[in-house]
Amino acid sequence: MWCPEGLDEIEAELLGPMEDLKDKDVLEIGAGAAQCSRWLAAQGARPVALDLSHRQLQHALRIGADTVRLVEADATALPFADGSFDLACSAYGALPFVAEPVTVLREVRRVLRPGGRFVFSVTHPVRWAFPDEPGPEGLSVASSYFDRTPYVEQDDDGNAVYVEHHRTVGDRVRDVVAGGFRLVDLVEPEWPAWNTQEWGGWSPLRGNLIPGTAIFVCERS
Ligand SMILES: C[S@@+](CC[C@H](N)C(=O)[O-])C[C@H]1O[C@@H](n2cnc3c(N)ncnc32)[C@H](O)[C@@H]1O
């Protein structure tokens, strides 16, 4: 699943035809509990699920990542040799949370084999300008789309406990190119009629009016 809209890889085939996943080495960035990697393993691929968070990887183990290799590391410094993977993917992992996403893109390019795809989903940049609310209050512009000041939550001691960085659509395209990729597609999934679920700031109400997710389909040049 790429996003709260519910677009799944069986339908989208953004990593290429499903039958070609068999025996592919796939790196998942910011894998969380490794849901995508488990699905990839079920298709016959050899996924590696990478995340910075020890706790997330514990969840991955608990849920049953026995078919997936788990790696605890920072996506800005990948602990793999050049050309180790055929494909890379990320569903909302790592990229929104680093100040310099080009570093991640360059690292992913380095560990991909020539022609390899990197497909990643992030919150659609236009959402930055709206309150993160699923109801009507989430439909009025409240801040500037062009303001790149990161969103930061702090604990009582003033330590940052959650940081999210905003990139405009243009910023993301430039990042992809600077990272050494060719942009093959930019998918903006529409809210499907069957999806009645609210999840955080995502809802049918908003989903029918403004995009929630941007999926960048990139090829290693
Ligand atoms: C929104 S969650 C998405 C998790 C999963 N991909 C999913 O679809 O449920 C973002 C994940 O990115 C991870 N992450 C954030 N910064 C990272 C970094 N620099 N390197 C690796 N993982 C990172 C977080 O620990 C978290 O598990």
Side-chain angles (χ1 to χ4, degrees):
M1 195 77 83
W2 289 106
C3 51
E5 286 81 359
L7 182 68
D8 72 21
E9 180 58 9
I10 297 172
E11 184 187 343
E13 293 199 324
L14 301 180
L15 292 168
M18 255 184 66
E19 58 272 20
D20 292 354
L21 289 174
K22 193 167 165 17
D23 295 326
K24 291 284 192 298
D25 295 305
V26 189
L27 174 62
E28 185 185 4
I29 301 282
Q35 297 91 319
C36 298
S37 286
R38 279 197 300 283
W39 181 84
L40 286 161
Q43 311 315 311
R46 288 185 297 268
V48 173
L50 177 138
D51 204 284
L52 188 65
S53 160
H54 186 73
R55 192 84 180 110
Q56 285 285 355
L57 296 175
Q58 279 181 329
H59 287 306
L61 270 179
R62 181 177 48 79
I63 295 169
D66 46 345
T67 52
V68 178
R69 280 187 293 156
L70 303 175
V71 174
E72 187 176 329
D74 189 336
T76 61
L78 296 174
F80 307 109
D82 298 0
S84 300
F85 297 95
D86 300 300
L87 296 165
C89 62
S90 182
Y92 281 79
L95 283 155
F97 309 105
V98 297
E100 290 178 11
V102 176
T103 315
V104 175
L105 284 151
R106 288 198 177 124
E107 274 295 86
V108 173
R109 181 186 189 277
R110 181 182 66 73
V111 303
L112 274 175
R113 297 179 183 129
R117 273 195 173 190
F118 178 32
V119 183
F120 65 92
S121 61
V122 291
T123 305
H124 197 291
V126 79
R127 291 284 279 259
W128 192 255
F130 295 84
D132 196 25
E133 299 291 340
E137 62 279 30
L139 294 175
S140 301
V141 170
S143 57
S144 170
Y145 169 76
F146 300 104
D147 183 355
R148 273 82 157 181
T149 310
Y151 170 79
V152 182
E153 290 175 10
Q154 296 176 325
D155 64 16
D156 293 341
D157 299 324
N159 300 311
V161 290
Y162 181 92
V163 180
E164 201 170 319
H165 294 272
H166 172 54
R167 310 289 285 157
T168 66
V169 174
D171 293 340
R172 288 255 179 244
V173 171
R174 281 184 289 278
D175 290 345
V176 164
V177 173
F181 286 94
R182 190 170 67 86
L183 185 62
V184 175
D185 200 356
L186 171 51
V187 180
E188 299 166 291
E190 293 189 31
W191 196 274
W194 60 261
N195 190 349
T196 54
Q197 199 176 348
E198 271 191 15
W199 189 83
W202 278 265
S203 64
L205 174 75
R206 293 180 88 200
N208 280 310
L209 297 172
I210 51 172
T213 298
I215 310 175
F216 291 80
V217 182
C218 314
E219 237 162 50
R220 186 196 192 286
S221 50

